[in-house]
Amino acid sequence: MSQETLDTAINLGYIVASVLFILGLKMLSSPKTARRGNFISAVGMLIAIVATLLTRGMTYQWIIVGLAIGAIIGAWAAYAVKMTAMPELVALFNGFGGLASLLVGFVEYYEHPARPLYTTVAVFFAVLIGSVTFMGSIVAYAKLAEKLPGRPLLFRGQRIVNGAILAAIIALGFVFCARPADSYEVMLVIVALSLLLGVLAVVPIGGADMPVVISLLNSYSGLAGAAAGFVILNNVLIVSGSLVGASGIILTSIMCRAMNRSLGNVLFSGFGAVGPASAAALTDGQGAMRETSLDDVATQLAYATQVVFVPGYGLATAQAQHVVRELANALEERGVTVKYAIHPVAGRMPGHMNVLLAEANVPYSQLYELEQINPDFPSTDVAVVIGANDVVNPDARDNPNSLIAGMPILEVDRAHSVVVLKRGAGRGFSGLENPLFFKPVTRMLYGDAKDSLTRLVAAVQQA
């Protein structure tokens, strides 16, 4: 095969792969087509890899070693990592993407320091964004895995320090781009400062803001990949990186709107560092949460007309998604209408609840987004909240002094009755008090969610 024919085949493969990436990304926007979209994107990636391997001059023995190691790690992650660990796994994958871009940029510069200006600029951005993404993702992983405190870690002058580090990196970037052949030490300093910036940029974020951080880091990894594509002049890497970067930014914007907060507020406010008591909880005269029994809940559910399940991170922690589906089946056999209310930022990563419920084969027709389900709550007999906190906190609606004031919520407090499944009476991941738990319509069912739901299935079947 001539070189011209080979180049044509490679470029054709890249075009096909890019089209599949776009189609797959489009399908990921809906739970109904997400699995198919993921498969189509995977096929596109396979085509891109094969096309890249056709490039002349490859050292295949090391590529085969890398493919084997990567395949083993990927297969192990797919089968062994529990759904409770999925958010931190996504954070790690984002970090690996950033690390790959960092290494590509650094190695290309090390081997060919004298390059055209546009390539040198691409090397700088690949190293900068890749380093920030890598270390930021490592910190996010540590927070989600509870190896670091989940709350924001703040210190005096934090914004000033971060701004100074970023300014220093940009100044060094100009020096590096002006004289790349003589700036090896400058590049090392840029890498070190960028890694430090990645840590300092994420440690002040925590609590309920972690899903936004994951989405933003995903966007960073795409931008780093696109920059690496410009370094090695790989069209499909530029296209795929740009798609990931743009879609990640859009998703981040959507999630910020779902919390009625700006991205700047998420990144710099230190939300969740202090969890003040809710004004509503302190002034409504209730004073204490009311505990209920499993038999009472089973009776309520068995004779209800409509039940709405509201999943949160507690559902993932208890691995209770399959049992929720069993309980829903038992209720539907009795003629009860069952729905699932999904908040955009429920859980600890974008789409967390959709992933959990899809694993349990919950019909997509029963999943309702916030705008769809809120009008139904006044006609709902029982709303069952499973490990959710901020997304059902009425303070966001009723208390203008709350840290989450204005955040759109699932208005479960408008249901005839609310049952909250929690391990204990403590506050949620964000550290905010929730006045829902003190309202007259609310009863608390304490214990492991999976165990409670399992016993509810048996009790409903016997009712």
Side-chain angles (χ1 to χ4, degrees):
M1 183 183 295
S2 67
Q3 183 63 48
E4 183 178 352
T5 303
L6 183 61
D7 290 342
T8 300
I10 291 173
N11 287 326
L12 181 60
Y14 285 164
I15 292 173
V16 173
S18 298
V19 171
L20 292 178
F21 290 154
I22 295 171
L23 291 175
L25 187 61
K26 173 62 177 176
M27 291 182 179
L28 289 175
S29 63
S30 170
K32 294 182 179 180
T33 57
R35 288 184 177 179
R36 197 185 326 146
N38 191 51
F39 176 77
I40 289 176
S41 298
V43 172
M45 182 57 69
L46 176 61
I47 293 173
I49 292 172
V50 171
T52 302
L53 292 177
L54 292 176
T55 305
R56 296 187 187 277
M58 290 286 183
T59 307
Y60 288 105
Q61 61 266 33
W62 289 112
I63 291 175
I64 293 173
V65 171
L67 286 173
I69 294 175
I72 292 172
I73 294 174
W76 172 82
Y79 286 100
V81 175
K82 298 179 179 179
M83 287 301 298
T84 50
M86 195 57 64
E88 49 261 48
L89 180 65
V90 171
L92 279 181
F93 282 171
N94 288 338
F96 291 155
L99 178 61
S101 300
L102 162 62
L103 293 176
V104 167
F106 187 85
V107 170
E108 284 294 313
Y109 165 69
Y110 181 80
E111 293 186 349
H112 308 286
R115 284 175 169 268
L117 178 60
Y118 74 88
T119 308
T120 303
V121 172
V123 167
F124 168 69
F125 280 109
V127 169
L128 167 59
I129 304 174
S131 299
V132 171
T133 303
F134 173 60
M135 286 308 300
S137 298
I138 294 299
V139 173
Y141 160 79
K143 282 176 169 283
L144 291 168
E146 299 182 352
K147 299 180 185 300
L148 284 177
R151 69 181 187 280
L153 302 176
L154 307 172
F155 60 85
R156 187 181 298 275
Q158 196 163 36
R159 298 183 191 180
I160 297 175
V161 171
N162 288 0
I165 293 174
L166 180 58
I169 292 172
I170 293 174
L172 291 172
F174 279 106
V175 174
F176 170 74
C177 293
R179 303 184 61 183
D182 302 322
S183 300
Y184 180 72
E185 292 79 7
V186 174
M187 170 55 71
L188 292 178
V189 175
I190 289 174
V191 172
L193 289 178
S194 299
L195 292 172
L196 177 60
L197 182 61
V199 174
L200 296 180
V202 176
V203 292
I205 308 171
D209 288 336
M210 290 310 295
V212 180
V213 175
I214 297 299
S215 177
L216 188 61
L217 289 171
N218 181 60
S219 177
Y220 288 171
S221 70
L223 295 176
F230 281 105
V231 173
I232 62 177
L233 302 178
N234 185 287
N235 293 332
V236 76
L237 187 55
I238 295 172
V239 171
S240 60
S242 299
L243 286 172
V244 172
S247 61
I249 288 293
I250 292 172
L251 179 58
T252 301
S253 176
I254 291 172
M255 298 182 73
C256 286
R257 287 201 302 270
M259 297 189 299
N260 194 38
R261 297 170 62 201
S262 67
L263 180 58
N265 182 266
V266 171
L267 296 178
F268 305 121
S269 70
F271 175 83
V274 180
S278 160
L282 295 176
T283 60
D284 66 2
Q286 304 305 320
M289 302 178 190
R290 299 167 181 80
E291 188 173 359
T292 187
S293 68
L294 187 135
D295 289 338
D296 287 344
V297 175
T299 301
Q300 279 185 284
L301 294 175
Y303 294 97
T305 300
Q306 177 168 285
V307 172
V308 175
F309 291 108
V310 182
Y313 185 68
L315 179 76
T317 302
Q319 285 286 279
Q321 60 270 29
H322 296 283
V323 188
V324 170
R325 176 68 195 279
E326 290 181 30
L327 179 56
N329 290 343
L331 292 175
E332 288 171 340
E333 290 175 0
R334 300 180 63 93
V336 179
T337 299
V338 175
K339 299 181 179 180
Y340 299 81
I342 308 299
H343 195 284
V345 295
R348 296 191 187 178
M349 72 175 186
H352 198 175
M353 297 303 104
N354 298 81
V355 172
L356 284 174
L357 297 176
E359 185 190 28
N361 295 315
V362 172
Y364 298 124
S365 60
Q366 293 183 346
L367 304 184
Y368 290 81
E369 297 181 359
L370 183 147
E371 296 83 1
Q372 298 172 307
I373 197 65
N374 271 346
D376 280 4
F377 280 119
S379 60
T380 297
D381 296 294
V382 187
V384 182
V385 179
I386 310 171
N389 190 7
D390 295 326
V391 298
V392 295
N393 191 333
D395 251 11
R397 181 192 63 216
D398 303 332
N399 180 11
N401 296 320
S402 172
L403 290 176
I404 58 173
M407 171 181 167
I409 60 166
L410 294 165
E411 299 181 340
V412 298
D413 60 320
R414 301 194 189 282
H416 299 167
S417 178
V418 180
V419 177
V420 179
L421 275 64
K422 286 177 93 272
R423 287 185 178 273
R427 297 174 181 177
F429 187 60
S430 70
L432 296 181
E433 190 70 88
N434 191 341
L436 170 70
F437 304 155
F438 301 87
K439 286 182 174 287
V441 297
T442 304
R443 295 294 182 270
M444 312 299 294
L445 185 61
Y446 295 120
D448 177 79
K450 186 175 184 179
D451 177 65
S452 297
L453 290 167
T454 300
R455 291 188 291 151
L456 279 174
V457 172
V460 167
Q461 290 174 338
Q462 296 173 3

